[in-house]
Amino acid sequence: MITLHHLNNSRSQRIIWLLEELGVDYEIKFYQRDPVTILAPKSLRDIHPLGKSPVITDDASGITLAESGAIIEYLISQYGPQFKPEQASEQYWQYLYWLHFSEGSLMPPMVMRLVFMKMKTAPMPFFIKPVAKMLADKVMQSFVSPNIRNQLKYIEAHLANHTWFCGDQLTGADFQMSFPLEASVARGLIGDDYPHIQKYVKTFQSRAAYQAGLAKGGEYDYA
Ligand SMILES: N[C@@H](CCC(=O)N[C@@H](CS)C(=O)NCC(=O)O)C(=O)O
């Protein structure tokens, strides 16, 4: 049996979508974020020392695995070779690229954006507040926002010519890219100026397996 250790409102939702597409037997163990800090509960550290979600365990291989990209690669290798392009084909390199790009390039400025937004509203002595706000705005304007914009434009251009990230075939790269893109749509970072990303997000969100995953995963603000 595969167990997914799932945190509400998190990247882990894309693993539920994949598990549904694979049609394998699996169970979900639910973890709730702290409502104030939005951090994961300590109990997740009993499963993996870093205490982040997603994490899976698989009784068939005895493995415990964290990191969405590695989990997707593992599940596809074990249970869904149809979601991986043929080794060393052009699509395979695209698959590798987008599988890494999602967490390696796109998520870091998005997480930074969240942190700096929080910094602007965090409780602090009143005389520090204007300085903190100025610093946060400066970093957002000079680094974070331009980086997010550049990457979204790049993705928009790619999706103008591709149904899925690697072409005509739904692959692991799509599960991995789904979270930052749907979160960006939900947070208003992607408007009408990104029609191909909009269409792409609607396309995967309307799949039966995605919807089934949504019904099973509990609270999720990005769909
Ligand atoms: N790169 C990791 C990131 C894992 C991660 O940061 N997960 C978030 C959920 S979206 C988390 O567990 N946050 C709670 C915490 O940091 O306490 C992955 O893709 O799996």
Side-chain angles (χ1 to χ4, degrees):
M1 173 68 87
I2 298 165
T3 302
L4 172 66
H5 298 269
H6 175 68
L7 187 64
N8 61 311
N9 259 331
S10 79
R11 288 161 166 88
S12 178
Q13 190 65 40
R14 60 186 164 195
I15 306 298
I16 306 186
W17 173 31
L18 171 58
L19 287 162
E20 287 294 323
E21 293 277 359
L22 291 171
V24 291
D25 273 347
Y26 73 98
E27 63 172 8
I28 301 176
K29 285 219 167 127
F30 291 92
Y31 299 79
Q32 278 300 120
R33 289 180 186 272
D34 180 296
V36 176
T37 64
I38 68 159
L39 295 176
K42 294 225 172 2
S43 51
L44 248 183
R45 291 196 199 149
D46 298 339
I47 311 301
H48 185 279
L50 295 182
K52 307 263 182 203
S53 175
V55 179
I56 59 157
T57 53
D58 186 356
D59 293 339
S61 59
I63 199 166
T64 298
L65 198 59
E67 201 62 49
S68 343
I71 292 171
I72 289 172
E73 178 71 13
Y74 170 83
L75 289 173
I76 286 175
S77 302
Q78 298 293 314
Y79 305 105
Q82 69 274 23
F83 294 127
K84 187 172 179 168
E86 199 177 316
Q87 185 87 19
S89 62
E90 195 193 324
Q91 287 79 4
Y92 178 76
W93 304 123
Q94 289 277 322
Y95 164 83
L96 265 195
Y97 175 74
W98 293 109
L99 200 64
H100 287 269
F101 174 89
S102 178
E103 289 292 321
S105 290
L106 185 53
M107 280 308 294
M110 291 197 166
V111 173
M112 281 178 82
R113 179 177 176 276
L114 272 186
V115 170
F116 282 108
M117 300 272 276
K118 259 195 167 295
M119 181 172 152
K120 292 208 282 185
T121 54
M124 63 185 81
F126 75 93
F127 53 91
I128 307 272
K129 227 174 176 46
V131 179
K133 187 177 172 316
M134 198 182 74
L135 274 176
D137 285 342
K138 186 88 193 138
V139 180
M140 290 275 258
Q141 279 160 22
S142 61
F143 182 77
V144 179
S145 298
N147 260 293
I148 294 178
R149 210 175 311 118
N150 254 356
Q151 297 195 51
L152 291 180
K153 279 192 190 150
Y154 173 58
I155 295 166
E156 174 69 12
H158 182 76
L159 290 177
N161 304 309
H162 297 81
T163 309
W164 299 107
F165 270 94
C166 302
D168 296 336
Q169 185 194 354
L170 173 67
T171 70
D174 297 292
F175 300 101
Q176 183 71 336
M177 286 297 290
S178 65
F179 176 75
L181 294 184
E182 66 186 358
S184 300
V185 170
R187 287 178 190 145
L189 286 174
I190 291 177
D192 295 344
D193 40 345
Y194 295 97
H196 296 101
I197 301 182
Q198 293 266 13
K199 180 170 172 232
Y200 172 79
V201 169
K202 279 200 185 99
T203 302
F204 74 71
Q205 286 184 339
S206 62
R207 289 178 72 86
Y210 180 93
Q211 288 297 324
L214 211 51
K216 289 186 187 167
E219 184 194 5
Y220 189 62
D221 289 344
Y222 308 123

